[in-house]
Amino acid sequence: MSTDPNPSPGSDTPVPTCYRHPGRETYVRCTRCDRYICPECMRDAAVGHQCVECVAEGNKNVRRARTVLGGRAPESATPVVTYSLIGICVLVYLAELASWKVVEDFMMLGVAVGREGRLVGVAEGEPYRLFTSMFLHQRPSGGSFGITHILFNMWALWAIGPELERVLGRWRFVALYVLSGLGGSVLLYLVEPGSAAVGASGAIFGLFGAFFIIGRKFGGQVGPIVFLLVINLVITFAVPGISWQGHIGGLVTGALLAVAYAYAPAKQRQLIHIAAPVVTLVLFAILVMVKTADLTAGVA
């Protein structure tokens, strides 16, 4: 920090002011650009203080920390993506409670006759259902689980989402979650297009699979996730009304993406991390188009 001595009384020397706030008197200068700065514009530096512009310029040359998988470490420890996904699911659930139409219009459905007597579903020009269904859950009076459906899924997301988001980085985590959810919807569409389904379970199972693969890769404790996964697979096949296609499709998708994330060679890591989700999405699109063509063949 450099300062100017106080001018002697009666001196005609003008009092220096902050370069960003001309009305504020100051005798402190930025140690980098030597401009006068007021307390609001001061930023602590290794020696003295710097102005906000010099600090911003210096930060441009600082390399961001990377996760073990090569993703950019979040600037904040808060798992923003995980909390945002939970928030979206909760808001959508409140919309469901307000109107059944939210479920009817956005649940996963391959093809069926709607209330108005017309065909509805993915095969009838509504492919968005493959995506929107992963944010819907059973209403309190719906099916075997009711409100416990969203409670369990959100608990699972809250429990393992932050750690995966920290290890993968945000965009990889988003890709893993969304593609796992889509994987469940696509498998249901391929195997049983007349069945309806809602829930984030496909995406959650994808996180389970990814957590196991990445944990094994880096020597983490995978026993608890294996136990949780086995219990949920037993429930999936033992309890009527659960879409096993959604769970298995999400699990397989999440595990395969995690393999690409965790085992990509260091030199090709960035390329593979981008290519794997893109190839997965293209594959899903092709499968959906082929199934749609099959379902609509011969329909006028």
Side-chain angles (χ1 to χ4, degrees), residues 15 64 66 75 82 176 200-201 208 212 225 251 253 265 289:
V15 177
R64 286 276 299 277
R66 295 279 177 175
E75 295 180 359
T82 299
L176 172 69
S201 302
F208 287 164
F212 173 78
I225 199 68
L251 176 62
T253 302
M289 287 189 290

Side-chain angles (χ1 to χ4, degrees), residues 32-239:
R32 187 170 180 177
C33 67
D34 208 36
R35 291 181 292 188
Y36 289 101
I37 49 177
C38 67
E40 183 180 336
C41 300
M42 294 178 191
R43 300 294 183 269
D44 289 335
V47 177
H49 297 83
Q50 292 184 8
C51 66
V52 291
E53 292 182 8
C54 287
V55 170
E57 185 65 28
N59 287 338
K60 292 180 180 179
N61 299 321
V62 177
R63 295 188 64 182
R64 286 276 299 277
R66 295 279 177 175
T67 69
V68 293
L69 292 179
R72 283 190 176 184
E75 295 180 359
S76 169
T78 303
V80 175
V81 175
T82 299
Y83 291 167
S84 296
L85 290 170
I86 292 174
I88 292 171
C89 288
V90 171
L91 289 175
V92 171
Y93 193 69
L94 293 177
E96 290 181 50
L97 296 179
S99 174
W100 267 104
K101 192 170 177 58
V102 174
V103 179
E104 294 173 354
D105 291 347
F106 297 101
M107 65 182 176
M108 176 54 206
L109 185 61
V111 60
V113 178
R115 279 189 176 183
E116 300 175 356
R118 65 180 183 86
L119 290 176
V120 297
V122 175
E124 297 302 316
E126 299 173 341
Y128 56 82
R129 290 177 180 268
L130 295 162
F131 173 79
T132 56
S133 60
M134 74 179 74
F135 297 101
L136 299 171
H137 290 85
Q138 289 181 358
R139 288 161 54 101
S141 60
S144 305
F145 295 99
I147 195 170
T148 59
H149 189 210
I150 186 172
L151 290 179
F152 172 78
N153 282 342
M154 295 304 99
W155 170 82
L157 180 55
W158 174 82
I160 67 175
E163 183 64 17
L164 279 174
E165 182 178 343
R166 182 188 66 81
V167 172
L168 293 173
R170 287 174 181 167
W171 77 260
R172 291 171 181 81
F173 180 69
V174 170
L176 172 69
Y177 187 90
V178 172
L179 288 173
S180 295
L182 286 176
S185 296
V186 170
L187 184 59
L188 177 62
Y189 184 52
L190 296 177
V191 175
E192 202 169 349
S195 295
V198 295
S201 302
I204 298 299
F205 267 75
L207 298 188
F208 287 164
F211 198 98
F212 173 78
I213 296 295
I214 295 172
R216 287 277 302 208
K217 167 67 175 178
F218 296 103
Q221 294 293 328
V222 297
I225 199 68
V226 171
F227 176 78
L228 186 61
L229 185 55
V230 170
I231 291 297
N232 278 276
L233 286 174
V234 170
I235 294 174
T236 296
F237 290 100
V239 178

